[in-house]
Amino acid sequence: MLSFKIKKINEEIPSNVQLIAVSKTKTEEEILEIYKTGHRNFGENKAIEVKEKFNNLPKDILWHFIGHLQTNKIKYIAPFISLIHSVDSFKLLSEINKFAVKNKRTIPCLLQFHIATEETKFGFNLSEVELMLKSKEYFELKNIEIQGVMGMASFTENFNLVREEFQNLNKIFTFLKENYFLDKINFKEISMGMSHDYKIAIEQGSTIVRIGSAIFGDRL
Ligand SMILES: *Cc1c(COP(=O)(O)O)cnc(C)c1O
């Protein structure tokens, strides 16, 4: 049943868009059911939960961290996480760098932007990011690699607003690429689009969609 749903979504999205199956709150059995179809990219939003799943499940799964990350939880995910989508402060980025050094690796990250009109969503605005990217302190972080941007649109039936917000994130991506990351070939990702809005996100240039309930069913 789950395998049928992921197959259907995979058929709908273009081959240049990566699908992250968001498995937060879902069981290891459910994840394995998706894994058996050949899918390897899963997304989680709690550090201890993803660490336990990493320990118990096949080691070729690529784990994506998509939730608000507290600095005191970085240690749980630093050894294995394949991409942190939700970097929303310089402090967090510099702490991730410390744990990457400890683990002798480079940790790929995305910068999360606040694109929704809602107050509650985390994320940078563009001027904060520009200040960071121009700073000496940022330049000294050698064990993180910024691979693009991430954002969440407003949770609304107003799809014109959603479209505008995704378009705005795409513009931010292009601005940063042209002004700060032109020589960085790995700066190429726009992580946007969830179960209810991924089609609009793809239409606006998303390269990574994060889909949970449309695959696994509603979370309790
Ligand atoms: C939960 C979550 C998703 C997936 O949401 P669905 O509506 O279940 O597809 C995507 N991105 C983030 C950041 C999430 O927290």
Side-chain angles (χ1 to χ4, degrees):
M1 192 51 208
L2 293 184
S3 59
F4 177 77
K5 282 191 180 155
I6 194 158
K7 186 161 169 278
K8 194 164 159 288
I9 291 174
N10 259 321
E11 281 166 4
E12 273 174 21
I13 66 178
S15 57
N16 60 318
V17 176
Q18 203 188 127
L19 170 61
I20 311 298
V22 175
S23 50
K24 60 191 187 195
T25 77
K26 299 298 171 180
T27 64
E28 289 165 11
E29 288 69 31
E30 289 170 295
I31 293 172
L32 276 175
E33 212 179 315
I34 303 285
Y35 176 87
K36 284 184 191 135
T37 70
H39 191 81
R40 292 295 178 269
N41 287 281
F42 291 87
E44 294 279 340
N45 69 345
K46 296 237 159 60
I48 294 174
E49 186 177 340
V50 66
K51 178 188 192 280
E52 279 173 6
K53 286 173 173 171
F54 166 77
N55 285 338
N56 297 336
L57 288 165
K59 292 296 175 285
D60 61 341
I61 290 180
L62 301 169
W63 293 103
H64 294 250
F65 198 83
I66 62 170
H68 182 63
L69 181 57
Q70 293 166 294
T71 51
N72 63 350
K73 302 275 173 65
I74 300 168
K75 57 176 182 280
Y76 297 118
I77 66 171
F80 65 88
I81 203 76
S82 79
L83 180 61
I84 300 176
H85 292 230
S86 44
V87 174
D88 57 6
S89 70
F90 176 72
K91 168 96 174 103
L92 178 59
L93 192 64
S94 98
E95 289 293 315
I96 292 170
N97 185 71
K98 277 188 204 160
F99 283 94
V101 171
K102 269 190 198 160
N103 285 278
K104 300 190 172 61
R105 60 178 299 231
T106 296
I107 298 183
C109 295
L110 303 179
L111 301 177
Q112 180 172 359
F113 280 85
H114 184 276
I115 54 169
T117 46
E118 291 152 23
E119 285 281 324
T120 53
K121 307 241 156 92
F122 293 102
F124 283 109
N125 63 44
L126 184 55
S127 54
E128 289 165 344
V129 165
E130 287 204 82
L131 268 180
M132 175 175 89
L133 296 176
K134 284 174 181 157
S135 71
K136 181 167 118 291
E137 291 82 0
Y138 168 74
F139 195 71
E140 284 163 359
L141 306 180
K142 302 294 186 199
N143 287 60
I144 51 97
E145 180 180 59
I146 295 180
Q147 299 189 339
V149 300
M150 180 272 219
M152 290 164 85
S154 298
F155 190 75
T156 171
E157 297 296 311
N158 180 351
F159 292 120
N160 288 327
L161 178 63
V162 171
R163 183 172 289 111
E164 224 172 84
E165 290 170 354
F166 285 149
Q167 196 172 46
N168 187 27
L169 187 60
N170 191 327
K171 281 184 189 153
I172 289 170
F173 169 82
T174 303
F175 177 84
L176 292 176
K177 180 75 188 172
E178 286 172 355
N179 290 282
Y180 298 93
F181 293 96
L182 214 46
D183 59 335
K184 302 281 191 286
I185 52 166
N186 289 337
F187 187 90
K188 59 181 171 50
E189 307 295 356
I190 307 178
S191 171
M192 62 184 186
M194 303 167 43
S195 291
H196 63 281
D197 58 18
Y198 70 91
K199 287 177 188 162
I200 305 173
I202 290 170
E203 165 204 303
Q204 295 305 323
S206 172
T207 67
I208 304 178
V209 290
R210 310 174 310 269
I211 300 183
S213 49
I215 298 170
F216 290 98
D218 287 337
R219 287 175 297 273
L220 298 173

